[in-house]
Amino acid sequence: MAETRTAGAGTAGTRADGPGTAGARLGEALRAYGLIVAMWIRSTMAYRASFAMTAFGNFVATGFDFVTVLLMFSHVDALGGWSLPEIAFLYGTTSTAFGLADLVLGSMDRLGRRVRDGTLDTLLVRPVPVLAQVAADRFALRRLGRVTQGLLVLGYALLTLDIDWTAGRVAAVPMMLLCGGAIFGSVFVAGAAFQFFALDAAEVQSAFTYGGNTLLQYPPSIFAKDLVRGVTFVVPLAFVNWVPSLYVLDRESPLGLPDWLALLPPLVAALCMGLAGLAWRTGLRAYRSTGN
């Protein structure tokens, strides 16, 4: 029986990937993702009062992170040489970028549970890309509360800071939000792929997603240079906001990096997405169902 299930899973995984062009497969995945998300949104909106309360609760809960920053600045004038509006800029950019990734791909951390209890097999036998199904599963619209809260803090920072705006600096702000979301999303997918091999690894994934978001809310100058190098050149979370923020705020890098690195987030995001996709395909092909 186990052998039969294993073969079935392998066949379904192949069919989910499907032949054809990469563009056609991407279009199929996006369409499936949109249909599943629409289903969960309709389900959520059936209880609008409940949705409003949970979204507001998410907004308030995530806001406590910035309250912590405000409490620190009630005792100090600067943190690592950075003022409150500058740290609000860091906070707003990373929280918004992470919120977008969490909204779109936040369900990826449930993959390990599906692998353990065998429910992933039900996704493999459907003629729909598995990644789209896992990402859209139990889509939580309430996570918009985190995005809204991050945007409000970012708006406060932009109104308060005295920035010498140029075309490059103006373009860098939306670039941080979009590319940062893509980088965080890549970490979500890569972390989920790791759960094919280490079934109980959701906390490892959270260390790089939620932990990375918390790290980037504070200036790089307060951290050891080895840590800053690690999140710049190993797991490139620094390109979410640290590197481009140094350019926007006209600050020097603690590592002495050149200003032109602020132009690299789109390239870094594309590389991260490519590596995450490769990790996902490797993990899915290695999956051999559950049981013994």
Side-chain angles (χ1 to χ4, degrees), residues 73-131:
F73 273 90
S74 67
H75 299 283
V76 299
D77 295 326
L79 184 63
W82 290 59
S83 66
L84 175 59
E86 288 174 321
I87 291 183
F89 183 79
L90 291 179
Y91 179 97
T93 50
T94 186
S95 293
T96 304
F98 177 79
L100 292 173
D102 190 39
L103 176 68
V104 176
L105 295 165
S107 298
M108 298 298 295
D109 58 0
R110 294 192 180 95
L111 181 67
R113 189 183 313 162
R114 282 191 172 276
V115 172
R116 290 195 303 272
D117 61 23
T119 56
L120 183 63
D121 292 359
T122 62
L123 307 185
L124 288 166
V125 298
R126 297 171 183 167
V128 177
V130 180
L131 179 58

Side-chain angles (χ1 to χ4, degrees), residues 34-254:
L35 291 173
I36 298 171
V37 166
M39 176 191 70
W40 282 107
I41 291 177
R42 286 195 300 270
S43 174
T44 299
M45 288 304 164
Y47 305 93
R48 301 195 177 196
S50 175
F51 162 71
M53 288 187 291
T54 54
F56 179 73
N58 184 271
F59 174 88
V60 172
T62 56
F64 281 121
D65 289 340
F66 192 64
V67 170
T68 302
V69 175
L70 293 176
L71 289 174
M72 284 190 292
F73 273 90
S74 67
H75 299 283
V76 299
D77 295 326
L79 184 63
W82 290 59
S83 66
L84 175 59
E86 288 174 321
I87 291 183
F89 183 79
L90 291 179
Y91 179 97
T93 50
T94 186
S95 293
T96 304
F98 177 79
L100 292 173
D102 190 39
L103 176 68
V104 176
L105 295 165
S107 298
M108 298 298 295
D109 58 0
R110 294 192 180 95
L111 181 67
R113 189 183 313 162
R114 282 191 172 276
V115 172
R116 290 195 303 272
D117 61 23
T119 56
L120 183 63
D121 292 359
T122 62
L123 307 185
L124 288 166
V125 298
R126 297 171 183 167
V128 177
V130 180
L131 179 58
Q133 296 182 72
V134 175
D137 184 43
R138 298 189 178 278
F139 181 85
L141 195 60
R142 68 178 183 275
R143 291 172 178 156
L144 279 174
R146 181 189 293 273
V147 179
T148 304
Q149 189 260 341
L151 286 173
L152 288 175
V153 175
L154 178 59
Y156 156 75
L158 293 175
L159 290 173
T160 309
L161 286 168
D162 183 17
I163 300 175
D164 181 17
W165 290 108
T166 62
R169 285 175 176 152
V170 170
V173 177
M175 178 190 70
M176 277 190 279
L177 303 184
L178 296 176
C179 295
I183 292 171
F184 272 126
S186 300
V187 177
F188 271 111
V189 174
F194 180 64
Q195 294 185 55
F196 280 114
F197 306 97
L199 305 185
D200 194 14
E203 295 304 320
V204 176
Q205 177 180 344
S206 296
F208 290 96
T209 52
Y210 291 91
N213 176 48
T214 301
L215 177 75
L216 297 177
Q217 292 172 1
Y218 297 93
S221 57
I222 69 173
F223 298 104
K225 288 188 177 180
D226 287 340
L227 176 61
V228 177
R229 291 189 186 98
V231 296
T232 302
F233 302 111
V234 181
V235 182
L237 293 176
F239 287 90
V240 172
N241 71 340
W242 275 358
V243 173
S245 291
L246 293 171
Y247 165 69
V248 172
L249 301 177
D250 196 21
R251 281 185 163 271
E252 292 187 4
S253 168

